[in-house]
Amino acid sequence: MVRTDVQLMLDVKAGDGNSFELLLQRYRTPLVNFLFRMVRNREQAEDLAQEVFLRVYRAREDYVPSAKFTTWLFRIATNLALNSVRDNRYQKLEVSIDAPVSLDAEDGDERTMDVPEKHPNIEQHLVEDARRKMIRHAIDKLPEKQRAAVLLHKYEELDYAEIAKILNCSESALKSLLFRAYEALRVELAPLVAQRARQ
Amino acid sequence: MESRILGYVDGRLKESERLEVEKHLAECAPCCLRVNEFSAVAGLLDELPLIEPSAEFDTRVHARVAAEPQPKAGWWAWMHFSPRIAFAASMLLLMALWLGYRTGTPIAPTIPNDDQAMMQDLPVLEDHDVLQNFEPLKDLPSPVQSDDDSDAQQPQHM
Ligand SMILES: [Zn+2]
């Protein structure tokens, strides 16, 4: 039988390293992807994800299963990401005085997952690439809290109550946050949206 | 309606809410359009591929966890892991405070002779004997302390 996250975490608390390993395997990819989409830098995303696991490990002795494990996990990740985004913005302001930073600097990273055989047609590949770039830029342009809400809602499939706890807001505030984010994405991605809506 | 449109699109509405939205959509073109567009946005978000953590990711997590300090070996941690000792220590502290209270000299390191004479009559001394034979105290590292000194000093040596 598959042990739940809470069971695993309670075993970690009791000193079981294997359970920590299982949590690591279960959440490394979701966390790295969430953080990558938040901070747009792969190296930084991995560093932050490691930090999340480290904090989970440090908190093991005080762990009480009062909320869902994912709520706790993504709350740690979201707080780290929001702080990091704010720090980055500050640093970018400083750096940009000397040298403008390209927003596309990290875009190449995601291509590593593309299997060439899936794209026998190079033109099609370029079109898809351009689409993805547009979508990523639209997400990047969202204010960070809206971005976190969209990512948690869309990719982590957490329910509204969980996301509201993670973002420290009410469920109705979250719903309006998401509505505004989707409105902004709809406008930003209008050509693609129109194309898709026609299908 | 605004707050329900996304819930309708992502299928997270309760059945009753969903029916209400559908009823509204049947007669509201702008909301219908928005539902279609939000569905399209959700579909676009699905187009982004997942990235795979790098090969070093797990190794780095392991290294950072291994670099964590082990539970502190200080006296506080020691008490933390030995509730009996913590209990014994708190008993001693309570005794000390009570003795201080009864004699009017709070946690006095030395007790004047006449006060000591007065204390002979106090029932607290019986408790003192009990405390000396108190089982958890055997776990304590024996304090290097003469019997002449006031017991009140002992907690300060913990
Ligand atoms: Zn309407």
Side-chain angles (χ1 to χ4, degrees):
Chain A
M1 209 187 110
V2 181
R3 280 185 288 167
T4 65
D5 297 336
V6 168
Q7 281 168 333
L8 288 174
M9 196 55 212
L10 288 172
D11 289 346
V12 174
K13 182 179 183 173
D16 177 21
N18 283 336
S19 295
F20 183 76
E21 202 55 34
L22 287 172
L23 286 172
L24 175 62
Q25 297 315 314
R26 206 173 272 185
Y27 287 107
R28 59 205 281 279
T29 302
L31 275 179
V32 166
N33 277 278
F34 169 70
L35 289 161
F36 178 53
R37 285 163 177 164
M38 279 302 290
V39 302
R40 299 304 308 153
N41 176 302
R42 185 174 186 139
E43 211 178 313
Q44 200 178 10
E46 293 214 353
D47 195 56
L48 291 174
Q50 289 159 21
E51 183 69 27
V52 174
F53 283 113
L54 192 65
R55 292 193 183 195
V56 166
Y57 180 77
R58 278 186 190 150
R60 68 197 182 282
E61 286 185 22
D62 301 318
Y63 177 73
V64 182
S66 55
K68 276 181 87 171
F69 178 78
T70 42
T71 308
W72 183 49
L73 189 74
F74 279 98
R75 194 177 169 132
I76 299 173
T78 302
N79 288 340
L80 285 172
L82 291 176
N83 285 337
S84 184
V85 167
R86 285 160 195 160
D87 287 354
N88 285 353
R89 191 163 43 219
Y90 184 68
Q91 277 167 15
K92 271 185 186 163
L93 278 175
E94 286 188 327
V95 170
S96 63
I97 296 165
D98 302 323
V101 178
S102 165
L103 282 170
D104 291 329
E106 306 297 332
D107 278 356
D109 285 335
E110 268 174 64
R111 282 181 211 135
T112 53
M113 281 287 278
D114 290 349
V115 185
E117 294 84 68
K118 263 167 50 186
H119 304 283
N121 185 337
I122 289 172
E123 270 178 52
Q124 189 198 339
H125 180 81
L126 288 176
V127 169
E128 276 184 26
D129 216 53
R131 283 174 74 92
R132 287 173 184 175
K133 214 171 241 182
M134 266 186 87
I135 297 165
R136 281 194 299 263
H137 274 292
I139 297 174
D140 289 349
K141 279 179 81 173
L142 294 174
E144 56 259 23
K145 205 167 172 181
Q146 285 186 28
R147 197 187 325 159
V150 167
L151 297 178
L152 293 168
H153 168 262
K154 181 67 201 153
Y155 298 111
E156 310 310 329
E157 292 178 346
L158 304 173
D159 58 40
Y160 288 119
E162 270 191 284
I163 302 171
K165 267 187 212 156
I166 290 169
L167 294 176
N168 211 7
C169 64
S170 68
E171 263 186 71
S172 63
L174 169 70
K175 282 178 184 167
S176 93
L177 201 66
L178 281 169
F179 182 83
R180 275 180 281 141
Y182 268 69
E183 275 294 288
L185 291 172
R186 178 182 72 90
V187 171
E188 189 68 25
L189 297 170
L192 298 183
V193 167
Q195 192 186 19
R196 247 195 118 95
R198 255 183 271 124
Q199 285 171 358
Chain B
M1 188 47 57
E2 279 193 358
S3 65
R4 290 185 171 184
I5 285 184
L6 192 57
Y8 178 74
V9 167
D10 68 24
R12 295 183 201 201
L13 288 186
K14 278 180 264 167
E15 182 66 8
S16 59
E17 290 175 316
R18 192 180 62 81
L19 293 173
E20 273 176 51
V21 172
E22 272 175 2
K23 207 170 148 195
H24 176 83
L25 288 177
E27 52 203 31
C28 180
C31 283
C32 263
L33 178 64
R34 196 154 259 152
V35 163
N36 285 338
E37 289 177 332
F38 277 14
S39 304
V41 169
L44 290 171
L45 294 178
D46 280 331
E47 288 184 24
L48 290 189
L50 278 178
I51 61 164
E52 198 53 46
S54 66
E56 307 84 55
F57 184 80
D58 289 3
T59 323
R60 294 215 174 108
V61 173
H62 294 152
R64 287 174 81 167
V65 164
E68 281 295 285
Q70 290 309 301
K72 290 176 204 75
W75 67 273
W76 178 248
W78 179 61
M79 279 205 178
H80 182 76
F81 288 112
S82 179
R84 291 176 75 204
I85 291 173
F87 177 69
S90 56
M91 287 295 290
L92 276 172
L93 189 63
L94 275 177
M95 279 297 287
L97 287 172
W98 195 51
L99 274 171
Y101 171 74
R102 291 294 291 253
T103 58
T105 45
I107 323 179
T110 54
I111 295 167
N113 278 339
D114 39 351
D115 278 353
Q116 252 176 353
M118 185 186 82
M119 279 167 62
Q120 301 293 323
D121 300 318
L122 293 176
V124 64
L125 291 183
E126 284 165 32
D127 291 338
H128 174 85
D129 286 335
V130 169
L131 198 61
Q132 277 203 325
N133 297 322
F134 192 55
E135 180 71 10
L137 286 181
K138 288 174 182 153
D139 288 346
L140 284 168
S142 52
V144 189
Q145 184 133 9
S146 75
D147 286 336
D148 296 339
D149 274 348
S150 159
D151 284 317
Q153 274 190 340
Q154 280 200 17
Q156 294 165 1
H157 287 266
M158 290 299 297

